Amino acid sequence: MPVYKMYIDGKWIGADETFETINPTTEKIIAKFPKGKDKHVKMAVGAAEDAYKKWSETPPPTRGRLLQNIADLLRKDKQRLGRLVSTEMGKVLPEALGDVQEAIDVFEYMAGEGRRLFGHTTTSELRNKFSMTIRMPVGIMGLISPWNFPIAIPAWKIAPALVCGNTVVFKPSSDTPLCAYELVKILEKAGVPPGVVNFVTGSASDVGEAIVKHPKIHGLSFTGSKFTGEWIVKNAGLKKVGLELGGKNPIIVMDDADLSLAVDGILWGAFGTAGQRCTAASRVIVHKKVKEKLLAALVQRTKKLRLGNPLLKTTDVGPLINKKAQEKTARYVEIGKKEGAKMLCGGKKAFGRGFFHQPTIFTSVTNDMHIAQEEIFGPILSVLEFDRLDDAIEMANDIEYGLSSSIYTKDVSNGFRAVQKIEAGLTYINSSTIGSEVHLPFGGIKGTGHTREAGITGIDEFSYLKTVYVDYSGKLQKAQID
Ligand code: NAP
């Protein structure tokens, strides 16, 4: 059994104890990783502190070139990394390759930022005075990532953190340390200097909490559950904190919608990645005039989805990440039945081996039910019905989260009404709730957190703006007074 290492100050190091990473399809152990402790976080922060001066003073275009090297190496290794994502995380190969592609895209996009990192110039109320803003790195940043995009999400954080001149302590999810390890290997190969990126594996309580509380870490970027996000906010002190949390994303289907297009989008949104996306479409809110027709097509297509090994072309839906996730999904099936929702298909854990669960559809769901309100993070879809668009929007908004949303309609007025009234960070028209691109802002509102990673706003999360005044009048000038 291979035992991998952590990466601190440019050296690969182990720990006294290890933990295992498991293939969710076979339930077999793939590898062992060091169980990092508080002392490893301290070493990593020390290394990040030592590397900071040189790295933050490296010209941004040089930092950008390094990011381009990383993108190039990722591209060369895309197929192998994609297969690894499928093996360790369980998403089907085309999606796993998409995960790697997203990492390539974000390194490439952020490489270009090395020649921008724009501040702005503006006027002054006084004569012979010049005003502008410039971008500064936050300092040492703690990056904590989940397992569902095991290469893309770390990349979404590392790329902007580095181009802005920060040094980094990175803790991956304990479910997917091998994907993260391979990414860090590529960073090393691309020439990231020692101490600039430090990789510490281990549990949330030993490594994650030590990062959150470390006084010399200036900023945190966290993607994960709302529960953990709330804990972080209470324990991070005065650090700059970015939070990308959960979702319970609705698709509204109007009576004028192209139903076949809507079915394609719902299947992709609800059962892609076995429902394990923060942007998964876990609620469909359908006009009652077209509900039966939509459901008939949806159920027929859902029943045909083939569960299995995510590496095989014949597989549509892979396993859930672990046993706990499989049991949680099964528990929500029971909750849905008890609440009086009607199950139209699925409902069972599948196969003997592997953490599979059948894609499941509930109808007769009302918005007060647990299955309509809580993030299940599995292949369960709740279908609600409405009469008037305003009611559908009210249902869409009556939820603690606010990440993604979608409406299917041929009427441009309905589309724009939804855009204006749905409380969410993303709204799609005639497309599913998933499909973000790295050059646009990504994030939510309400219980999803208010961070905007990716795109130009991703830079804001990993830098701060310094305001600079240059007075060349040669005399004391007083703003607001002279
Ligand atoms: P999670 O349990 O919150 O864990 C996420 C990461 O945080 C893991 O690395 C975990 O470490 C670590 N962690 C847990 N508790 C911590 C603590 N007290 N202090 C510091 N670190 C801690 O979430 P998950 O199950 O991995 O991911 C699924 C969730 O992520 C879902 O809610 C999903 O919606 C959300 N998500 C959101 C986005 C977005 O962009 N909005 C994207 C993807 C996923 P261990 O693995 O060692 O426990």
Side-chain angles (χ1 to χ4, degrees), residues 231-480:
W231 186 90
I232 288 176
V233 166
K234 286 187 196 131
N235 288 276
L238 296 176
K239 295 178 176 67
K240 178 174 167 69
V241 178
L243 299 172
E244 293 276 11
L245 311 177
K248 187 79 181 173
N249 313 291
I251 291 183
I252 296 174
V253 183
M254 295 300 295
D255 53 349
D256 66 354
D258 175 337
L259 289 189
S260 132
L261 190 66
V263 168
D264 285 344
I266 294 166
L267 283 171
W268 173 226
F271 304 129
T273 329
Q276 303 171 108
R277 286 187 184 228
C278 50
T279 51
S282 42
R283 296 184 292 155
V284 163
I285 307 174
V286 55
H287 196 287
K288 65 181 180 196
K289 271 197 206 153
V290 293
K291 180 179 151 197
E292 291 313 321
K293 202 169 166 200
L294 181 91
L295 279 177
L298 198 55
V299 170
Q300 193 210 23
R301 293 271 304 276
T302 302
K303 282 181 175 166
K304 285 191 186 149
L305 293 175
R306 295 156 300 179
L307 272 74
N309 183 341
L311 289 167
L312 299 178
K313 278 200 178 117
T314 46
T315 299
D316 299 307
V317 182
L320 294 165
I321 185 66
N322 53 33
K323 186 143 206 75
K324 213 167 126 196
Q326 189 192 33
E327 281 167 0
K328 180 179 173 190
T329 305
R331 206 165 52 245
Y332 271 99
V333 168
E334 292 313 310
I335 290 172
K337 286 186 202 159
K338 270 200 202 118
E339 286 181 314
K342 188 172 157 204
M343 198 170 75
L344 296 179
C345 61
K348 289 202 179 78
K349 292 191 215 171
F351 301 108
R353 198 168 276 283
F355 307 123
F356 292 91
H357 195 286
Q358 292 177 326
T360 302
I361 300 178
F362 278 106
T363 185
S364 305
V365 177
T366 53
N367 218 26
D368 54 344
M369 291 182 185
H370 291 277
I371 57 168
Q373 289 290 323
E374 290 162 25
E375 189 187 43
I376 301 170
F377 228 53
I380 298 189
L381 176 67
S382 294
V383 180
L384 300 93
E385 69 169 49
F386 71 93
D387 215 356
R388 296 167 44 242
L389 176 57
D390 283 348
D391 297 336
I393 291 172
E394 205 177 305
M395 277 188 248
N397 291 343
D398 180 20
I399 196 94
E400 63 180 340
Y401 296 106
L403 182 50
S404 188
S405 57
S406 147
I407 181 165
Y408 281 85
T409 180
K410 286 185 189 145
D411 181 335
V412 69
S413 310
N414 289 336
F416 273 91
R417 192 128 51 107
V419 165
Q420 287 214 303
K421 292 201 167 174
I422 293 181
E423 296 164 1
L426 308 156
T427 299
Y428 293 83
I429 299 178
N430 292 330
S431 183
S432 193
T433 49
I434 58 189
S436 288
E437 300 178 30
V438 303
H439 55 294
L440 281 101
F442 177 88
I445 57 166
K446 305 200 291 195
T448 300
H450 298 264
T451 297
R452 288 291 177 279
E453 286 188 352
I456 192 64
T457 54
I459 291 296
D460 294 334
E461 301 296 331
F462 295 88
S463 64
Y464 69 90
L465 284 174
K466 172 174 284 190
T467 304
V468 181
Y469 296 108
V470 183
D471 189 324
Y472 54 97
S473 67
K475 58 180 181 185
L476 175 63
Q477 297 199 93
K478 296 175 190 154
Q480 293 90 42

Side-chain angles (χ1 to χ4, degrees), residues 144-294:
I144 302 177
S145 60
W147 45 265
N148 66 334
F149 281 83
I151 293 197
I153 291 180
W156 273 43
K157 298 182 184 306
I158 292 171
L162 294 191
V163 80
C164 289
N166 303 282
T167 55
V168 159
V169 177
F170 162 42
K171 177 211 163 338
S173 162
S174 298
D175 282 303
T176 50
L178 187 50
C179 290
Y181 167 90
E182 291 292 347
L183 176 61
V184 174
K185 273 286 207 196
I186 283 176
L187 301 183
E188 183 192 29
K189 196 169 166 191
V192 173
V196 170
V197 173
N198 303 280
F199 168 64
V200 187
T201 53
S203 70
S205 54
D206 287 331
V207 176
E209 295 190 6
I211 291 175
V212 171
K213 290 181 178 170
H214 200 294
K216 288 196 168 163
I217 290 185
H218 308 98
L220 295 170
S221 172
F222 170 77
T223 301
S225 64
K226 179 169 170 282
F227 178 82
T228 309
E230 281 169 341
W231 186 90
I232 288 176
V233 166
K234 286 187 196 131
N235 288 276
L238 296 176
K239 295 178 176 67
K240 178 174 167 69
V241 178
L243 299 172
E244 293 276 11
L245 311 177
K248 187 79 181 173
N249 313 291
I251 291 183
I252 296 174
V253 183
M254 295 300 295
D255 53 349
D256 66 354
D258 175 337
L259 289 189
S260 132
L261 190 66
V263 168
D264 285 344
I266 294 166
L267 283 171
W268 173 226
F271 304 129
T273 329
Q276 303 171 108
R277 286 187 184 228
C278 50
T279 51
S282 42
R283 296 184 292 155
V284 163
I285 307 174
V286 55
H287 196 287
K288 65 181 180 196
K289 271 197 206 153
V290 293
K291 180 179 151 197
E292 291 313 321
K293 202 169 166 200
L294 181 91

